Amino acid sequence: MGGRLENPGGFGVAGVSSREKMPAMTELKHLRAEDAHTDSSTAAARFSPAPEIRDFMPADMEAFVTAYDEVWGWEIHADPASMERSTMALAYTLTNLLRADAARTALLPDGRPGALACMRWDASNPQTHGVEPAHRDLARIRMKTLYERCVSRLAATNLGRDCLEFEDDLMAVNHELMGRLPPVPEGGRAELIYLITVREARGLGLGKALMDDFEAACRTRGIGDAFLYTDNHCHWKIYLKRGWSIAAKKRWRAPIEDDAIESMLMRKAMQP
């Protein structure tokens, strides 16, 4: 899991307007509208041995916010209708998309979004976070605005502030782990920021297909190595099976977790 976006576009915590009090999932309608003009054939999946992969579209957002909530939401609140739980799921998904230079969606056979991978190609500087590319199109600018609303909403409650504190602590741990990496190799260093599958896609190979897609793109770009952050609350052993190794790890405690977290930074060479 990655950290919360660090001061995205200079946004601060402001008062919550009446519109900002709308449920997080309802606000996703504004992002889904961005794709209303898209030819449906673009997102239609073809039945084939390999999953179809395309660039992420705002219409995919709800599927992956729901996927995050199903996997980690219970750690925030037992009630799925909790404001903090639903808002954190949206904020975390937006964070990873806004940090990314690229985001790819693997489709289920019926054309619905099944898995998401977010990545950035120049991860040598931990402060870059791919924020500038977010200004390149209207949809991502709107994502930044929606992220600001999420932060404002979370900052208004004790549990919400605990969630934000957790993300800040996680970011600090991740930055510490990154400092233990060997020097950046020739060709640079990429990051696999985020990988998640929806419930219906588990076991269908969509996550594996997105990892293959990411690694192939790294090799094409001549990138020397790549890294990712994970922890013992994730399915981290799948990366070991694919040739990633643990480069650094740290055990720590967070305000919204009952058990200690073991954060890990994994690394893999992308060139022979």
Side-chain angles (χ1 to χ4, degrees):
M1 297 169 65
R4 181 161 62 93
L5 192 67
E6 190 170 43
N7 191 21
F11 290 138
V13 176
V16 181
S17 70
S18 58
R19 182 168 182 246
E20 288 168 342
K21 294 177 183 177
M22 296 167 61
M25 297 302 289
T26 301
E27 290 189 349
L28 291 177
K29 291 189 296 185
H30 299 287
L31 291 176
R32 290 199 298 271
E34 294 295 321
D35 291 329
H37 66 281
T38 303
D39 185 343
S40 60
S41 63
T42 301
R46 294 178 295 273
F47 288 85
S48 62
E52 181 180 356
I53 297 175
R54 58 157 169 76
D55 289 340
F56 170 86
M57 297 191 299
D60 303 338
M61 178 77 76
E62 185 170 351
F64 299 126
V65 171
T66 299
Y68 174 94
D69 180 71
E70 290 176 347
V71 175
W72 289 296
W74 62 272
E75 296 183 338
I76 298 172
H77 200 287
D79 181 5
S82 159
M83 181 279 290
E84 292 87 353
R85 176 169 168 171
S86 62
T87 303
M88 191 63 204
L90 177 56
Y92 191 82
T93 305
L94 288 166
T95 292
N96 291 306
L97 288 165
L98 289 170
R99 289 183 61 214
D101 295 318
R104 302 277 280 166
T105 298
L107 302 180
L108 290 163
D110 61 6
R112 289 178 298 139
L116 170 68
C118 300
M119 59 212 73
R120 61 188 180 123
W121 306 122
D122 181 12
S124 305
N125 183 352
Q127 301 301 324
T128 56
H129 290 326
V131 171
E132 287 306 313
H135 291 279
R136 294 177 185 167
D137 61 79
L138 181 61
R140 298 195 75 177
I141 292 175
R142 290 180 176 177
M143 287 182 193
K144 289 172 70 68
T145 302
L146 183 52
Y147 176 85
E148 178 190 12
R149 293 186 186 129
C150 289
V151 172
S152 297
R153 190 180 298 117
L154 290 167
T157 70
N158 289 333
L159 179 56
R161 287 190 289 272
D162 283 346
C163 291
L164 295 178
E165 181 183 349
F166 168 76
E167 290 303 306
D168 288 337
D169 290 346
L170 181 59
M171 177 180 288
V173 170
N174 287 346
H175 284 181
E176 178 184 335
L177 294 179
M178 188 177 185
R180 302 180 195 173
L181 279 173
V184 177
E186 182 178 355
R189 172 169 285 153
E191 179 184 1
L192 180 57
I193 298 171
Y194 190 48
L195 179 65
I196 193 167
T197 59
V198 303
R199 179 185 296 173
E200 301 93 321
R202 291 167 197 164
L204 299 182
L206 271 64
K208 176 182 181 298
L210 284 173
M211 292 181 71
D212 289 341
D213 184 68
F214 168 70
E215 293 180 19
C218 286
R219 289 191 293 271
T220 298
R221 291 169 175 266
I223 291 170
D225 72 5
F227 71 94
L228 60 86
Y229 298 111
T230 187
D231 60 57
N232 60 329
H233 290 197
C234 303
H235 297 297
W236 59 273
K237 291 183 180 179
I238 64 171
Y239 301 112
L240 295 178
K241 295 178 181 178
R242 292 185 53 86
W244 293 73
S245 60
I246 299 174
K249 59 184 178 179
K250 179 176 181 176
R251 196 169 181 82
W252 60 289
R253 286 194 170 274
I256 61 173
E257 301 285 352
D258 293 329
D259 302 320
I261 299 173
E262 185 167 53
S263 290
M264 290 168 270
L265 186 153
M266 291 190 169
R267 174 179 172 268
K268 183 177 181 179
M270 292 291 117
Q271 303 298 327

